[in-house]
Amino acid sequence: MKLLPEDKLAWSPIVVNSRMNRERNASGINSYEKEFKFKPEEYLASKISDYGKASWLDLCCGQGKALVQTAEYFDKLGQQNSINLKGIDLIDTFLTVDKHITCVQFEAKSLNEWSPDQNYDLITCVHGLHYLGDKLKLIETSIAALKSNGVF
């Protein structure tokens, strides 16, 4: 089997398919809660409770729906200043975020070039890792970007 080089793999029709795995929720149907029995907002709330701040990086975040829902959750609690949410995806199909939500940011870029600019309490990569050629490099970079008690 001939493997595609990274630049060809990243832009292949399967990887850049905007309909596939791009609408994941934080909780409820098609969510972290349903797939993994893990509610990001609960985990992050525990970090805020313990440390006063929390951060989540979602790699291959698709539209960023889970991040937006989580931002809205913490906005309703009046805790936007305590949370930092970031999503990275290969293509820019991110949801539009209400102007008053300031705790979430999105970046369109290849993860082959990703280098973290901070450490995170939570890093996720759901249904995206298998589209990368060098999976171990991304796992290694992600683990290095975690806070000492963070979760990948």
Side-chain angles (χ1 to χ4, degrees):
M1 171 194 269
K2 186 177 177 184
L3 298 177
L4 292 174
E6 288 290 342
D7 61 329
K8 298 257 190 263
L9 177 63
W11 296 107
S12 68
I14 292 171
V15 174
V16 298
N17 181 347
S18 66
R19 305 295 257 157
M20 203 162 147
N21 300 315
R22 297 200 170 274
E23 298 180 3
R24 180 166 316 283
N25 294 303
S27 300
I29 297 171
N30 185 31
S31 68
Y32 289 91
E33 176 187 23
K34 179 137 174 86
E35 296 279 330
F36 306 107
K37 310 300 183 242
F38 177 79
K39 292 179 85 171
E41 61 275 28
E42 287 181 358
Y43 175 78
L44 295 166
S46 74
K47 293 296 180 182
I48 291 171
S49 177
D50 292 344
Y51 303 105
K53 292 209 175 277
S55 55
W56 176 17
L57 172 63
D58 193 8
L59 302 171
C60 302
C61 70
Q63 294 178 340
K65 192 172 182 184
L67 291 168
V68 171
Q69 289 174 340
T70 303
E72 291 169 346
Y73 173 84
F74 284 103
D75 177 51
K76 287 178 185 168
L77 295 176
Q79 294 182 317
Q80 270 202 78
N81 291 335
S82 300
I83 191 91
N84 176 29
L85 307 169
K86 183 172 183 176
I88 300 175
D89 200 83
L90 183 61
I91 57 175
D92 183 355
T93 59
F94 307 119
L95 295 176
T96 303
V97 182
D98 287 346
K99 290 179 178 142
H100 75 280
I101 302 283
T102 58
C103 61
V104 64
Q105 302 146 346
F106 294 111
E107 185 176 357
K109 73 182 301 177
S110 169
L111 291 175
N112 295 323
E113 306 155 7
W114 173 61
S115 175
D117 55 1
Q118 72 173 73
N119 290 69
Y120 296 89
D121 295 296
L122 175 63
I123 299 176
T124 54
C125 184
V126 177
H127 297 303
L129 190 58
H130 55 281
Y131 293 122
L132 299 172
D134 194 346
K135 296 157 185 50
L136 293 178
K137 178 183 173 193
L138 180 68
I139 292 170
E140 180 181 41
T141 304
S142 297
I143 297 298
L146 284 174
K147 292 182 180 175
S148 62
N149 58 354
V151 172
F152 175 63

